Amino acid sequence: MTDDPPDWEFSERDMYILRELSADPQRSSRELADLLESEYGIDVSHVTVSESIREMRDADVFRETIVPNEELFNFALFEFKFNPEHFADSWHDAMVSIRDDRHTLFYFLSDGEYQWKSVMMFPSRTAESRWIHDFYKDHGDVIQNVRNSVVHNVLKFKTDPELFTELDGERS
């Protein structure tokens, strides 16, 4: 992941490809080419569609990851509050530990009192508790508090295809 936005000029075709992939990520490039023609009047070969998808992926326009069904794991939101006394000496190792941990699905920085946040997955609540205990043992000098919330009753877990229609507008 980079800090820079993708260097990509979106064509109308690209936006439709992203919309259709978002609606059904299993669609083949041949199916997408047929859909582009029938739904949007864009006549393009499946080879061109496949190449566009590859180029967008390589340019980091979108990322692909396998996200297990939420019924297979316990999902949790973790929020990390710093201990400023030891932050300068230990923050990097703690950050890398969270980012690279096999349980971490999504890791981000935010403002406020709890500046590091992650969505993590565990096979059980016992495994989650064990992870917290081990994390404090390894990085307790830099972390003043870990606040964790159980994520349950996931009501939406997808990208809405219509969101891609906004790519042709101004981005900040």
Side-chain angles (χ1 to χ4, degrees), residues 74-90:
N74 294 317
F75 286 72
L77 172 65
F78 279 66
E79 299 173 287
F80 301 87
K81 181 178 180 180
F82 303 132
N83 176 352
E85 182 180 347
H86 300 285
F87 185 78
D89 297 329
S90 305

PDB file of all heavy atoms in Angstrom, residues 74-90:
ATOM      1  N   ASN A  74     -14.773 -14.640  14.464  1.00  0.00           N
ATOM      2  CA  ASN A  74     -15.250 -13.529  15.272  1.00  0.00           C
ATOM      3  C   ASN A  74     -14.488 -12.293  14.821  1.00  0.00           C
ATOM      4  O   ASN A  74     -13.256 -12.276  14.856  1.00  0.00           O
ATOM      5  CB  ASN A  74     -14.974 -13.783  16.759  1.00  0.00           C
ATOM      6  CG  ASN A  74     -15.765 -14.948  17.290  1.00  0.00           C
ATOM      7  OD1 ASN A  74     -16.939 -15.095  16.986  1.00  0.00           O
ATOM      8  ND2 ASN A  74     -15.129 -15.791  18.077  1.00  0.00           N
ATOM      9  N   PHE A  75     -15.204 -11.282  14.389  1.00  0.00           N
ATOM     10  CA  PHE A  75     -14.597 -10.026  13.974  1.00  0.00           C
ATOM     11  C   PHE A  75     -14.624  -9.071  15.168  1.00  0.00           C
ATOM     12  O   PHE A  75     -15.583  -9.063  15.949  1.00  0.00           O
ATOM     13  CB  PHE A  75     -15.371  -9.405  12.807  1.00  0.00           C
ATOM     14  CG  PHE A  75     -15.145 -10.101  11.499  1.00  0.00           C
ATOM     15  CD1 PHE A  75     -15.676 -11.347  11.240  1.00  0.00           C
ATOM     16  CD2 PHE A  75     -14.392  -9.481  10.501  1.00  0.00           C
ATOM     17  CE1 PHE A  75     -15.475 -11.982  10.030  1.00  0.00           C
ATOM     18  CE2 PHE A  75     -14.187 -10.109   9.280  1.00  0.00           C
ATOM     19  CZ  PHE A  75     -14.726 -11.360   9.046  1.00  0.00           C
ATOM     20  N   ALA A  76     -13.580  -8.249  15.280  1.00  0.00           N
ATOM     21  CA  ALA A  76     -13.508  -7.292  16.380  1.00  0.00           C
ATOM     22  C   ALA A  76     -12.838  -6.015  15.889  1.00  0.00           C
ATOM     23  O   ALA A  76     -11.934  -6.057  15.055  1.00  0.00           O
ATOM     24  CB  ALA A  76     -12.726  -7.874  17.551  1.00  0.00           C
ATOM     25  N   LEU A  77     -13.299  -4.897  16.424  1.00  0.00           N
ATOM     26  CA  LEU A  77     -12.664  -3.612  16.180  1.00  0.00           C
ATOM     27  C   LEU A  77     -11.732  -3.344  17.357  1.00  0.00           C
ATOM     28  O   LEU A  77     -12.168  -3.356  18.506  1.00  0.00           O
ATOM     29  CB  LEU A  77     -13.706  -2.492  16.081  1.00  0.00           C
ATOM     30  CG  LEU A  77     -13.155  -1.069  16.027  1.00  0.00           C
ATOM     31  CD1 LEU A  77     -12.352  -0.850  14.745  1.00  0.00           C
ATOM     32  CD2 LEU A  77     -14.280  -0.048  16.135  1.00  0.00           C
ATOM     33  N   PHE A  78     -10.452  -3.142  17.059  1.00  0.00           N
ATOM     34  CA  PHE A  78      -9.453  -2.830  18.080  1.00  0.00           C
ATOM     35  C   PHE A  78      -9.039  -1.371  17.935  1.00  0.00           C
ATOM     36  O   PHE A  78      -8.808  -0.897  16.814  1.00  0.00           O
ATOM     37  CB  PHE A  78      -8.215  -3.713  17.906  1.00  0.00           C
ATOM     38  CG  PHE A  78      -8.358  -5.078  18.493  1.00  0.00           C
ATOM     39  CD1 PHE A  78      -9.261  -5.991  17.982  1.00  0.00           C
ATOM     40  CD2 PHE A  78      -7.576  -5.465  19.564  1.00  0.00           C
ATOM     41  CE1 PHE A  78      -9.397  -7.249  18.514  1.00  0.00           C
ATOM     42  CE2 PHE A  78      -7.692  -6.735  20.118  1.00  0.00           C
ATOM     43  CZ  PHE A  78      -8.613  -7.624  19.592  1.00  0.00           C
ATOM     44  N   GLU A  79      -8.930  -0.684  19.066  1.00  0.00           N
ATOM     45  CA  GLU A  79      -8.483   0.701  19.081  1.00  0.00           C
ATOM     46  C   GLU A  79      -7.342   0.803  20.098  1.00  0.00           C
ATOM     47  O   GLU A  79      -7.462   0.312  21.214  1.00  0.00           O
ATOM     48  CB  GLU A  79      -9.629   1.624  19.467  1.00  0.00           C
ATOM     49  CG  GLU A  79     -10.796   1.545  18.492  1.00  0.00           C
ATOM     50  CD  GLU A  79     -11.999   2.317  18.960  1.00  0.00           C
ATOM     51  OE1 GLU A  79     -12.661   1.847  19.913  1.00  0.00           O
ATOM     52  OE2 GLU A  79     -12.239   3.394  18.393  1.00  0.00           O
ATOM     53  N   PHE A  80      -6.249   1.423  19.668  1.00  0.00           N
ATOM     54  CA  PHE A  80      -5.030   1.454  20.469  1.00  0.00           C
ATOM     55  C   PHE A  80      -4.731   2.885  20.914  1.00  0.00           C
ATOM     56  O   PHE A  80      -4.614   3.785  20.091  1.00  0.00           O
ATOM     57  CB  PHE A  80      -3.849   0.913  19.649  1.00  0.00           C
ATOM     58  CG  PHE A  80      -4.060  -0.495  19.172  1.00  0.00           C
ATOM     59  CD1 PHE A  80      -4.729  -0.739  17.978  1.00  0.00           C
ATOM     60  CD2 PHE A  80      -3.586  -1.575  19.900  1.00  0.00           C
ATOM     61  CE1 PHE A  80      -4.928  -2.033  17.526  1.00  0.00           C
ATOM     62  CE2 PHE A  80      -3.769  -2.873  19.456  1.00  0.00           C
ATOM     63  CZ  PHE A  80      -4.449  -3.111  18.266  1.00  0.00           C
ATOM     64  N   LYS A  81      -4.601   3.058  22.239  1.00  0.00           N
ATOM     65  CA  LYS A  81      -4.262   4.360  22.830  1.00  0.00           C
ATOM     66  C   LYS A  81      -2.793   4.307  23.257  1.00  0.00           C
ATOM     67  O   LYS A  81      -2.359   3.350  23.893  1.00  0.00           O
ATOM     68  CB  LYS A  81      -5.157   4.634  24.034  1.00  0.00           C
ATOM     69  CG  LYS A  81      -4.911   5.961  24.697  1.00  0.00           C
ATOM     70  CD  LYS A  81      -5.884   6.158  25.858  1.00  0.00           C
ATOM     71  CE  LYS A  81      -5.658   7.485  26.540  1.00  0.00           C
ATOM     72  NZ  LYS A  81      -6.614   7.662  27.658  1.00  0.00           N
ATOM     73  N   PHE A  82      -2.043   5.349  22.916  1.00  0.00           N
ATOM     74  CA  PHE A  82      -0.609   5.368  23.167  1.00  0.00           C
ATOM     75  C   PHE A  82      -0.254   5.761  24.586  1.00  0.00           C
ATOM     76  O   PHE A  82      -0.949   6.547  25.223  1.00  0.00           O
ATOM     77  CB  PHE A  82       0.080   6.366  22.235  1.00  0.00           C
ATOM     78  CG  PHE A  82      -0.150   6.109  20.782  1.00  0.00           C
ATOM     79  CD1 PHE A  82      -0.525   7.145  19.944  1.00  0.00           C
ATOM     80  CD2 PHE A  82      -0.001   4.843  20.241  1.00  0.00           C
ATOM     81  CE1 PHE A  82      -0.736   6.925  18.592  1.00  0.00           C
ATOM     82  CE2 PHE A  82      -0.213   4.619  18.897  1.00  0.00           C
ATOM     83  CZ  PHE A  82      -0.583   5.656  18.076  1.00  0.00           C
ATOM     84  N   ASN A  83       0.882   5.248  25.018  1.00  0.00           N
ATOM     85  CA  ASN A  83       1.553   5.734  26.211  1.00  0.00           C
ATOM     86  C   ASN A  83       2.662   6.645  25.694  1.00  0.00           C
ATOM     87  O   ASN A  83       3.668   6.161  25.179  1.00  0.00           O
ATOM     88  CB  ASN A  83       2.141   4.573  27.011  1.00  0.00           C
ATOM     89  CG  ASN A  83       2.926   5.038  28.213  1.00  0.00           C
ATOM     90  OD1 ASN A  83       3.174   6.228  28.387  1.00  0.00           O
ATOM     91  ND2 ASN A  83       3.322   4.098  29.043  1.00  0.00           N
ATOM     92  N   PRO A  84       2.497   7.966  25.802  1.00  0.00           N
ATOM     93  CA  PRO A  84       3.464   8.888  25.194  1.00  0.00           C
ATOM     94  C   PRO A  84       4.872   8.779  25.773  1.00  0.00           C
ATOM     95  O   PRO A  84       5.846   9.115  25.101  1.00  0.00           O
ATOM     96  CB  PRO A  84       2.865  10.268  25.460  1.00  0.00           C
ATOM     97  CG  PRO A  84       1.761  10.081  26.418  1.00  0.00           C
ATOM     98  CD  PRO A  84       1.395   8.637  26.465  1.00  0.00           C
ATOM     99  N   GLU A  85       4.995   8.262  26.978  1.00  0.00           N
ATOM    100  CA  GLU A  85       6.304   8.152  27.628  1.00  0.00           C
ATOM    101  C   GLU A  85       7.274   7.267  26.832  1.00  0.00           C
ATOM    102  O   GLU A  85       8.462   7.549  26.756  1.00  0.00           O
ATOM    103  CB  GLU A  85       6.111   7.603  29.045  1.00  0.00           C
ATOM    104  CG  GLU A  85       7.383   7.490  29.848  1.00  0.00           C
ATOM    105  CD  GLU A  85       7.113   6.934  31.238  1.00  0.00           C
ATOM    106  OE1 GLU A  85       5.940   6.869  31.652  1.00  0.00           O
ATOM    107  OE2 GLU A  85       8.092   6.564  31.900  1.00  0.00           O
ATOM    108  N   HIS A  86       6.777   6.219  26.215  1.00  0.00           N
ATOM    109  CA  HIS A  86       7.644   5.275  25.492  1.00  0.00           C
ATOM    110  C   HIS A  86       7.374   5.258  23.994  1.00  0.00           C
ATOM    111  O   HIS A  86       7.905   4.418  23.273  1.00  0.00           O
ATOM    112  CB  HIS A  86       7.455   3.861  26.051  1.00  0.00           C
ATOM    113  CG  HIS A  86       7.784   3.751  27.496  1.00  0.00           C
ATOM    114  ND1 HIS A  86       9.072   3.737  27.961  1.00  0.00           N
ATOM    115  CD2 HIS A  86       6.983   3.689  28.586  1.00  0.00           C
ATOM    116  CE1 HIS A  86       9.060   3.651  29.278  1.00  0.00           C
ATOM    117  NE2 HIS A  86       7.803   3.620  29.685  1.00  0.00           N
ATOM    118  N   PHE A  87       6.534   6.167  23.531  1.00  0.00           N
ATOM    119  CA  PHE A  87       6.118   6.143  22.130  1.00  0.00           C
ATOM    120  C   PHE A  87       7.301   6.249  21.165  1.00  0.00           C
ATOM    121  O   PHE A  87       7.425   5.463  20.231  1.00  0.00           O
ATOM    122  CB  PHE A  87       5.105   7.262  21.854  1.00  0.00           C
ATOM    123  CG  PHE A  87       4.556   7.219  20.459  1.00  0.00           C
ATOM    124  CD1 PHE A  87       3.568   6.301  20.119  1.00  0.00           C
ATOM    125  CD2 PHE A  87       5.030   8.078  19.477  1.00  0.00           C
ATOM    126  CE1 PHE A  87       3.063   6.249  18.836  1.00  0.00           C
ATOM    127  CE2 PHE A  87       4.524   8.032  18.192  1.00  0.00           C
ATOM    128  CZ  PHE A  87       3.546   7.110  17.874  1.00  0.00           C
ATOM    129  N   ALA A  88       8.178   7.199  21.372  1.00  0.00           N
ATOM    130  CA  ALA A  88       9.272   7.461  20.428  1.00  0.00           C
ATOM    131  C   ALA A  88      10.167   6.239  20.239  1.00  0.00           C
ATOM    132  O   ALA A  88      10.657   5.984  19.132  1.00  0.00           O
ATOM    133  CB  ALA A  88      10.101   8.655  20.892  1.00  0.00           C
ATOM    134  N   ASP A  89      10.366   5.465  21.291  1.00  0.00           N
ATOM    135  CA  ASP A  89      11.273   4.316  21.217  1.00  0.00           C
ATOM    136  C   ASP A  89      10.620   3.048  20.680  1.00  0.00           C
ATOM    137  O   ASP A  89      11.316   2.184  20.158  1.00  0.00           O
ATOM    138  CB  ASP A  89      11.837   4.005  22.614  1.00  0.00           C
ATOM    139  CG  ASP A  89      12.672   5.146  23.169  1.00  0.00           C
ATOM    140  OD1 ASP A  89      13.301   5.862  22.359  1.00  0.00           O
ATOM    141  OD2 ASP A  89      12.682   5.324  24.404  1.00  0.00           O
ATOM    142  N   SER A  90       9.300   2.925  20.806  1.00  0.00           N
ATOM    143  CA  SER A  90       8.685   1.612  20.563  1.00  0.00           C
ATOM    144  C   SER A  90       7.545   1.585  19.566  1.00  0.00           C
ATOM    145  O   SER A  90       7.011   0.521  19.284  1.00  0.00           O
ATOM    146  CB  SER A  90       8.161   1.058  21.898  1.00  0.00           C
ATOM    147  OG  SER A  90       9.181   1.013  22.860  1.00  0.00           O
TER     148      SER A  90
END
